[in-house]
Amino acid sequence: MRLNEAHVARMALLVTSEDEAGPPVPMAAATEEDFRQFTHDILAGADDPGQVWVFAYGSLIWKPACEFVEIRTGLLRGWHRAFCLGWNTRFRGSAKNPGLMLALDRGGACKGALYRLPPGLEAENVELLCRREMGFKPSPFPPRWVTVMTEGGPVRAFTFCMDRNSDRYVTGLDEGQVADVLSKAVGGRGSMVEYLYNTVEHLERMGIVDSHLWRLQEMVAERLDATA
């Protein structure tokens, strides 16, 4: 990888305290009742309530936010990993340099990680994931059940997929434009450089090469080196 820890550390110097402003208009903060309902609705779609898997493709790979008892790699067809969730002006971006987050967009295929939640603790861990991924409503990337192919056969799992009708759906950017965004955006939880580095590095550890992300890490490193 051309993108490295020195690049991450350099961007970390730009991180400021997290903005505690309310959710972006017209969204609203999810309530305790919302989280209970999200959890109920997800588990209601499980084929086997004692075998609940979640498919991770981005930050959940390197920061799962839930307990798990088994991990596998798998291929999800019909969806691809893309920086299409925008524009983030709080957690990993600012009003001056908004960030773009990964989500699953329609078409293609995506290799990622499957986590099996602990038996008997499914509800608690699904709720943790909802709190992490669905803090605002309506969610721009709501959960859905998908079938992921693994070496051991198909696995039914839930994941978070982009809603193309959401006003937070970003499309039409070429790789150079995405790299420009990722090389500059910094928010209260860190930089997009850190987000990209961690995602690519953990995918590599699992033996997963995403050619799109690999090109992006090269391009982002090139931009950072040019401004050092």
Side-chain angles (χ1 to χ4, degrees), residues 177-193:
Q177 291 172 309
V178 173
D180 286 341
V181 171
L182 302 185
S183 65
K184 298 174 183 177
V186 180
R189 292 186 185 175
S191 68
M192 289 306 313
V193 169

Side-chain angles (χ1 to χ4, degrees), residues 124-135:
E124 292 90 331
N125 282 281
V126 170
E127 183 172 327
L128 286 174
L129 289 163
C130 290
R131 289 180 180 276
R132 159 79 173 274
E133 302 295 320
M134 301 173 68

Side-chain angles (χ1 to χ4, degrees), residues 18-30 89-91 135-136:
E18 190 169 324
D19 182 5
E20 295 297 335
V25 177
M27 304 177 77
T89 59
R90 297 181 62 200
F91 305 131
F136 302 143

